[in-house]
Amino acid sequence: MSDFALFLGKFLRHGTKIASVAPSSPWLSKATIGNIDWTKARVIVELGAGTGPITRAIAERVQPGTRVIINERDADFAAILRDRFGNRANFEVIEGDACDLATILSDRGIDQVDHIISGLPVPSFPKELQAKFFRVVQSVLAPEGTYNQITEIAWYYQRLYRKYFHDVQFVFEPRNFPPAGAYYCQRPKDLSDGGPNPV
Ligand SMILES: C[S@@+](CC[C@H](N)C(=O)[O-])C[C@H]1O[C@@H](n2cnc3c(N)ncnc32)[C@H](O)[C@@H]1O
């Protein structure tokens, strides 16, 4: 079965848990990681990797010394990711919930990551989970690190990401279907006192 057919079938069955009818295009995948300095990145985490279009774009650019942690909750997608990327020495595919990121990293002796690349349907998360998730992101992201988030609704969620990060930049990718883009987010806001009201 093609990646597209598999993805569409999952979307029809699981809706907002998958959040997209098709995998990201190569253009969107490249745009999503367009701000990474590959010579400096030591640890990159990808969350909600699906069938791996962004993973492939990472694999094309990443240096052999950079550790790449790939996460996906869906068992079928995780099996595809293991098959496609599991034999790379610096890649590790982890089937599980991205909200367990802190544990996933600490189990592997990682306390900070340089880039978090997210394909997660964050706007569909229940509000409390959204805030909890960004608290975890804040706790593991390096001071100069970035949180990169794909979106299929261009510009619409700027407000959401600005609630969680001081710096948010949107890059538009018209060649994706539908036209889409990515947010490059830096400097997480302090959420320790409960943080902003999630949207
Ligand atoms: C919009 S798709 C993006 C897939 C892929 N990154 C791409 O760009 O084509 C969202 C993906 O996130 C996964 N996902 C949703 N919630 C998750 C969670 N809590 N933890 C890990 N993966 C999750 C879904 O199974 C799905 O593969």
Side-chain angles (χ1 to χ4, degrees):
M1 193 191 292
S2 72
D3 286 5
F4 174 74
L6 179 63
F7 220 96
L8 181 60
K10 295 262 181 203
F11 175 74
L12 293 174
R13 266 175 286 140
H14 304 297
T16 55
K17 289 187 175 160
I18 300 295
S20 178
V21 293
S24 295
S25 66
W27 299 289
L28 178 59
S29 299
K30 285 186 187 129
T32 302
I33 55 171
N35 61 339
I36 294 180
D37 182 343
W38 301 97
T39 61
K40 289 193 181 146
R42 287 154 301 167
V43 182
I44 296 175
V45 172
E46 185 188 357
L47 304 175
T51 53
I54 302 173
T55 323
R56 183 169 295 117
I58 293 171
E60 284 167 6
R61 303 290 311 278
V62 76
Q63 310 240 330
T66 304
R67 199 162 168 186
V68 184
I69 307 289
I70 309 296
N71 157 260
E72 171 56 52
R73 187 173 59 182
D74 182 273
D76 297 328
F77 287 162
I80 289 174
L81 292 163
R82 275 194 293 272
D83 188 47
R84 291 181 178 166
F85 304 102
N87 62 349
R88 290 171 184 261
N90 54 332
F91 279 56
E92 188 177 354
V93 177
I94 295 152
E95 184 180 331
D97 194 316
C99 296
D100 296 329
L101 179 61
T103 311
I104 289 171
L105 294 175
S106 67
D107 285 352
R108 286 159 182 80
I110 299 170
D111 54 5
Q112 258 190 2
V113 305
D114 301 295
H115 303 283
I116 297 175
I117 316 301
S118 168
L120 297 171
V122 168
S124 309
F125 283 8
K127 290 180 181 183
E128 297 73 27
L129 185 64
Q130 204 180 82
K132 184 179 160 215
F133 171 70
F134 281 111
R135 248 178 244 124
V136 173
V137 167
Q138 181 194 27
S139 72
V140 299
L141 199 61
E144 302 293 311
T146 69
Y147 173 88
N148 297 9
Q149 173 70 50
I150 61 163
T151 182
E152 288 198 341
I153 311 179
W155 290 288
Y156 187 75
Y157 291 115
Q158 295 247 33
R159 206 171 128 250
L160 187 161
Y161 297 109
R162 285 191 198 285
K163 285 209 169 202
Y164 293 105
F165 293 90
H166 290 285
D167 303 331
V168 177
Q169 192 192 341
F170 181 71
V171 285
F172 182 51
E173 180 42 73
R175 289 167 291 184
N176 195 68
F177 182 78
Y183 295 98
Y184 299 159
C185 307
Q186 275 186 295
R187 300 200 300 128
K189 289 185 177 173
D190 185 7
L191 305 174
S192 53
D193 60 351
N197 294 326
V199 286

